Amino acid sequence: MVAHVAQKAERKRTLPGCAARMAKHAISLLVNTLMEFVQLQINYLDWESEWIQSRACYEVAERHGVPVVVMEPIKGGTLAQVPAQAEALLKGLDPSRSVASWAIRFVASPPNVMCVLSGMSSLEQMEDNLSYMDDFQPLSDEERQACFKVASIINGQTAIACTACHSCHGSERHEDARLQARERRGD
């Protein structure tokens, strides 16, 4: 951690960057500006999403040589609390890793990723993130395929994609979504 603080203090300038949510928008920003990085929503659940277009956006940035800062790697906590079948798949590959670690490692593995921004709500979550990023091991092909299988399991059980943002908190819609999520997880 001390090394990170020293590196931060040495920075001499600010990097101009932008955030983009769709491939078409990302292409426009990258081609028509002098951005030194782009912030993209990337996670294994959105990798092939026709709405979020994580893979497509990443590929545009990579093609233009623009480093990527990742947002929403755990999709608002969705990829930290996966269905039991999905968790068993991940734990079967490595029981020592947290479910969330797979999502972070997925987005940190591509070579053009400069930084992963992960929201944490507890010291335990921060310590978990630091534990596997300290001596980072990119996903193997088998592990990457397991993440796609988990995405398939989640998509097969999700009627309404909820990121637990709480914007509908307290409403009837929130209670319905919460109960549906519990049923999917088997709680």
Side-chain angles (χ1 to χ4, degrees), residues 11-170:
R11 185 167 45 210
K12 305 281 189 244
R13 63 189 176 105
T14 303
L15 298 175
C18 61
R21 296 243 179 215
M22 299 204 47
K24 185 176 179 181
H25 188 57
I27 290 168
S28 173
L29 288 170
L30 295 173
V31 172
N32 295 318
T33 64
L34 299 173
M35 295 298 152
E36 294 191 38
F37 72 90
V38 62
Q39 182 174 318
L40 300 172
Q41 179 172 327
I42 299 178
N43 56 68
Y44 63 77
L45 193 57
D46 292 332
W47 190 248
E48 296 297 340
S49 164
E50 66 182 277
W51 298 282
I52 306 296
Q53 301 180 4
S54 290
R55 180 185 51 79
C57 289
Y58 174 81
E59 289 173 353
V60 168
E62 186 175 47
R63 193 167 40 254
H64 291 283
V66 177
V68 172
V69 172
V70 175
M71 64 178 158
E72 293 289 333
I74 304 177
K75 196 162 176 75
T78 298
L79 301 179
Q81 297 179 2
V82 298
Q85 178 188 5
E87 183 173 355
L89 175 67
L90 297 176
K91 292 292 186 180
L93 288 172
D94 189 343
S96 70
R97 294 197 185 275
S98 69
V99 173
S101 74
W102 292 89
I104 300 286
R105 288 179 58 230
F106 178 88
V107 300
S109 291
N112 201 42
V113 170
M114 175 172 77
C115 177
V116 176
L117 302 175
S118 175
M120 297 158 276
S121 56
S122 72
L123 180 59
E124 180 183 44
Q125 290 174 354
M126 184 179 73
E127 289 170 342
D128 180 50
N129 285 358
L130 292 173
S131 73
Y132 50 83
M133 292 304 285
D134 213 17
D135 183 26
F136 181 70
Q137 299 294 317
L139 291 179
S140 68
D141 288 339
E142 178 186 17
E143 292 172 324
R144 188 172 168 81
Q145 290 308 311
C147 288
F148 292 135
K149 175 75 174 160
V150 168
S152 178
I153 292 167
I154 293 169
N155 285 329
Q157 296 182 11
T158 303
I160 301 170
C162 173
T163 62
C165 70
H166 301 289
S167 64
C168 63
H169 190 73

